[in-house]
Amino acid sequence: MSTHDPGESGRRGPGRRRTTDGLGTVWHLRPVGTWTAVALTLAVLVATNLAVHRWGDAPGLVTAVLVSVLLLAVLHWADGTWDDAGLAPGTFARGARWALTLIGLVGLVYLAAALLPATRTLFEDQRYEDMSGSELLLRAFVLVPVGTVLLEEIAFRGVLYGLLRRALGVVRATVVSSLLFGLWHVLPSLHLASSKPALNSVFGDSAFGAAVAVMGAVLFTAAAGVLFCELRRRSGSLLAPMGLHWAVNALGYLFGFLLR
């Protein structure tokens, strides 16, 4: 992802540099600093969060792909590498093995929870009442992997984690990116308590109950972010947290649909 030409010549204009490659002169944007790249990434994510919340799933797919490419471009602009993003080609096989193992483990946990009467009610969700089989497949194999997993993993465990690790080290990068991941879920969690009967029975329909439910969702997703970052670090690949993230969301839809 990163490029550097030792034959770089002088005469640099503001914010750009000139290189020669034997075919002529090529102008490149001068790399930005790490914190500038972090600020740009956060600005893009805030705008994206608001846009996806307003437009819904279908436009969110296009947004997710475009924003993922844009964020990787920001990392490249800061002289980041594919390894910084967890997408180095040499890590794919190891990451895929991690991902498949984690998907299997989540499937077993969900199956056990579905079979136990005490935990079966956790799958109840009003959003499944009018959902068709085709809508389920669309969510599990298109909306979740592209609209949710691709964007969020590239953003929080790829670009942000890579930039912050370079500036702050692994521990602080994990903490900061995970907290931001939790805050990312504020808007999607606004109606969480009212849509899931198990949560509604605890928090009720009051504004205070809804606020507590949102806070719980933020804390839960921040904790999940820590786990995802650790999977990214241990596997060396973004595919590992992608696999777990997809399994938790998509298999949750599948079991919720089957148990409605």
Side-chain angles (χ1 to χ4, degrees), residues 150-170:
L150 177 71
L151 172 58
E152 293 182 358
E153 292 307 318
I154 284 180
F156 293 99
R157 263 69 63 182
V159 175
L160 263 180
Y161 179 83
L163 290 169
L164 292 169
R165 183 180 62 175
R166 193 164 69 181
L168 302 174
V170 170

Side-chain angles (χ1 to χ4, degrees), residues 6-91:
E8 182 180 328
S9 61
R11 286 183 55 189
R12 296 180 179 178
R16 60 181 184 169
R17 61 185 179 185
R18 187 178 69 178
T19 62
T20 56
D21 59 5
L23 298 177
T25 299
V26 180
W27 289 97
H28 302 279
L29 287 175
R30 185 180 300 174
V32 296
T34 298
W35 289 112
T36 299
V38 169
L40 288 171
T41 299
L42 293 179
V44 169
L45 288 176
V46 169
T48 302
N49 194 280
L50 294 172
V52 172
H53 180 70
R54 178 178 179 180
W55 291 337
D57 291 334
L61 287 175
V62 177
T63 302
V65 173
L66 292 178
V67 170
S68 297
V69 173
L70 178 58
L71 292 178
L72 289 172
V74 170
L75 180 63
H76 172 74
W77 193 13
D79 265 350
T81 65
W82 289 116
D83 185 62
D84 288 327
L87 294 171
T91 67

